[in-house]
Amino acid sequence: DLSRFRSSSLERDLVAMEFGLRAAIAKRWARVPSGWLWRKFRDNRGKTVTIYYPPGHAEWTDTARRYWNGELQGMTLIKGHAWGGATESNDIPGLGKCFFKRFSIRSLRFLHKPPRARHTVTHQNRVSNLGFDVPEVMCLMERRQMGVVVESAVITVELKDCHSINAILNLGDGNVVRSLDEKRQLLKKLGREIGRWHASGLFHGDMHCGNIF
């Protein structure tokens, strides 16, 4: 909403410059993986949204469209975010359990950062290419205004046959309660894996036992 910036032509020009700078930075910092396909649709507000997806996964575009329009049933809210958007999960027939993250720009102070969803896709692709197991990204959705991504979302699929470190240490792995010695061995392996992560030039801004599986 730019209504509060319409008091003078100078202020409008400054806002346009901010948006243009934001678009240039975003294009350089975060790119859609090479070979991904895309298609556009009009959402239920009449806005144009672009869906990006890996080759061979066109079936996800219908799920992406229905999610964006709020038409998916059975969504479970995991966490709401102060910067706009939310993380949700759903069990999609034929596709399995999926996680949906939606982002929005609520302030001009976020304009210097790359779009959150696209950054997620870029980062996950880089991490996967370095040999680490990460959730597979199936769809990226973006809505632009004045060339700037103002809303975006990403869909990932659940990692199979694994549990979070937090669940294993505190709740047991499924029905198996780990002994103290097993937990110690697990933590040693975890330390080595984090060391390998850092040695690869990767740093996580929100690393905790609920984010490691």
Side-chain angles (χ1 to χ4, degrees), residues 49-111:
V49 180
T50 305
I51 303 176
Y52 301 92
Y53 58 95
H57 292 288
E59 70 277 8
W60 284 88
T61 58
D62 181 62
T63 297
R65 180 188 56 78
R66 290 190 293 130
Y67 163 70
W68 188 273
N69 286 330
E71 299 170 355
L72 276 183
Q73 302 297 316
M75 299 297 294
T76 300
L77 177 65
I78 298 175
K79 181 171 62 173
H81 304 294
W83 34 256
T87 300
E88 301 173 286
S89 67
N90 201 340
D91 200 344
I92 308 297
L95 300 177
K97 188 172 184 179
C98 313
F99 293 91
F100 302 78
K101 286 188 177 182
R102 193 159 185 163
F103 310 88
S104 62
I105 294 178
R106 290 188 174 180
S107 171
L108 290 178
R109 66 190 178 92
F110 293 110
L111 290 179

Side-chain angles (χ1 to χ4, degrees), residues 26-40:
K27 184 176 181 181
R28 180 172 181 177
W29 283 6
R31 298 179 182 274
V32 174
S34 176
W36 276 39
L37 307 175
W38 60 273
R39 62 178 58 176
K40 295 179 181 288

Side-chain angles (χ1 to χ4, degrees), residues 59-172:
E59 70 277 8
W60 284 88
T61 58
D62 181 62
T63 297
R65 180 188 56 78
R66 290 190 293 130
Y67 163 70
W68 188 273
N69 286 330
E71 299 170 355
L72 276 183
Q73 302 297 316
M75 299 297 294
T76 300
L77 177 65
I78 298 175
K79 181 171 62 173
H81 304 294
W83 34 256
T87 300
E88 301 173 286
S89 67
N90 201 340
D91 200 344
I92 308 297
L95 300 177
K97 188 172 184 179
C98 313
F99 293 91
F100 302 78
K101 286 188 177 182
R102 193 159 185 163
F103 310 88
S104 62
I105 294 178
R106 290 188 174 180
S107 171
L108 290 178
R109 66 190 178 92
F110 293 110
L111 290 179
H112 70 285
K113 296 183 178 181
R116 293 288 297 264
R118 183 175 287 221
H119 179 71
T120 297
V121 173
T122 303
H123 182 69
Q124 304 252 116
N125 186 62
R126 179 190 175 200
V127 172
S128 178
N129 289 339
L130 288 172
F132 295 93
D133 292 324
V134 292
E136 187 176 6
V137 178
M138 305 311 303
C139 270
L140 165 67
M141 294 151 276
E142 293 181 338
R143 181 176 76 81
R144 294 176 178 269
Q145 183 176 328
M146 296 173 62
V148 178
V149 176
V150 293
E151 282 186 278
S152 59
V154 63
I155 305 176
T156 60
V157 293
E158 181 182 43
L159 288 169
K160 301 296 184 183
D161 302 320
C162 63
H163 300 276
S164 71
I165 298 296
N166 185 55
I168 294 174
L169 294 179
N170 298 312
L171 305 176

Side-chain angles (χ1 to χ4, degrees), residues 2-19 108 111 146:
L2 301 178
S3 60
R4 60 195 178 99
F5 297 104
R6 292 175 181 167
S7 58
S8 72
S9 60
L10 175 60
E11 288 177 339
R12 287 198 301 270
D13 290 343
L14 289 174
V15 171
M17 289 172 62
E18 287 274 10
F19 271 68
L108 290 178
L111 290 179
M146 296 173 62

